[in-house]
Amino acid sequence: MLTARTTGRLATRSSRQAARVTIDGRELVNFGSNDYLALAADPRLADAAAAAAEQEGWGSGASPLISGHGRSHERLEERLAEFEGTQAALVFSTGFAANAGTIAALVGPGDVVFTDRKNHASLLDGCRLSRADVRVNAHGDYEHLEQSLSKAAKYRRRLIVTDSLFSMDGDLAPLCELADLAERHAAMLMIDEAHATGVFGPLGRGVAEHLGVEERVHVRVGTLSKAIGAMGGYVCGSRDLIEWLYHRGRPFLFSTSHPPSVAATCQAAFALLDSPDGEKLIKKLWANTKYFKRLLKKRGFSTGASETPITPIHVGEAAKAFEFSRKLFEAGVYAPAVGYPTVAEGKARLRAIVTATHKRADLEKAADVLAEVGKNLGIV
Ligand SMILES: *Cc1c(COP(=O)(O)O)cnc(C)c1O
């Protein structure tokens, strides 16, 4: 019913992606998407997609290496560089491909890459794919990272990679301290802003903007798949970096570009972000986030270190977390459970994501249902 783990099949949604959805015939308050700004089904974006499909066709033919790319892809990359305030930007078909392909392009044998244990799977896969030596530090153990860095002077290149906003706990990486470390040890710093694009920072650029360290981060990865409501990942930085990826970013070179409609949709999303409507959506997202956390706290739940719309509800044992999620589903709330290996053993939880268009009444109803079901299961 809920995840491959509980029944061997995926939840099937018959409605649009939204703050309320229909899954397996049941109407639910939805906490199971990364659609922070409710753009995934926004009619303005759908119109942009339809217009591009009509003008430029549906498919894009082949990989950029063979076909080049279309005007809408080019315009999106220009728009991204402008949005991020960098010299250039490059779009990959997914955030996963952007991360894995970029790490593999930046380091190789004879180099070393430093990664936090809670980094996203795509960063870890990129580390493995690169064939550089990999040093993993416990989550948030920056002293250990510093020790590892001070032993790494013999390597040709050093690369530190981190999520800027950790996707399972909703906590932030201390990017100022990481930039200090990178500068002290002549390392490159690459950050993955997947959950922060469109969510954090005065202009929605992410945590680096929020903390004022954009200029000190060499490689910034953002995603088009979450708050932007479409799909894809992008890398932004210096022109040299982007030129390098044009020639070395294998998932970019050897994989077909997005349909033009995806690129057009993303442009429309960034135009919206830039407008008063976009500002309103971001404000609502944060107001809902704070409200829901308050409701949960009042009912005795722990949401851990989360400072963001990612709201983990800690349970502990995996079987119990999955049972919790199942019972919530029956009571009208969709809050997927995550267990090992996505998170450490004994750290299973529900992962509830708040969006800009959740209604207050739905958040209240959901908190009450969570409390009632949680009590029956001895969780609160
Ligand atoms: C979702 C996510 C990705 C992958 O992005 P996709 O566009 O879905 O492939 C990468 N990094 C982090 C931290 C993520 O949460």
Side-chain angles (χ1 to χ4, degrees), residues 94-96 99 120 122 163 167 192 194-195 223 225-226 232:
T94 64
F96 198 111
N99 278 335
H120 191 261
S122 54
D163 284 17
S167 55
D192 174 6
H195 282 278
T223 188
S225 322
K226 291 178 171 133

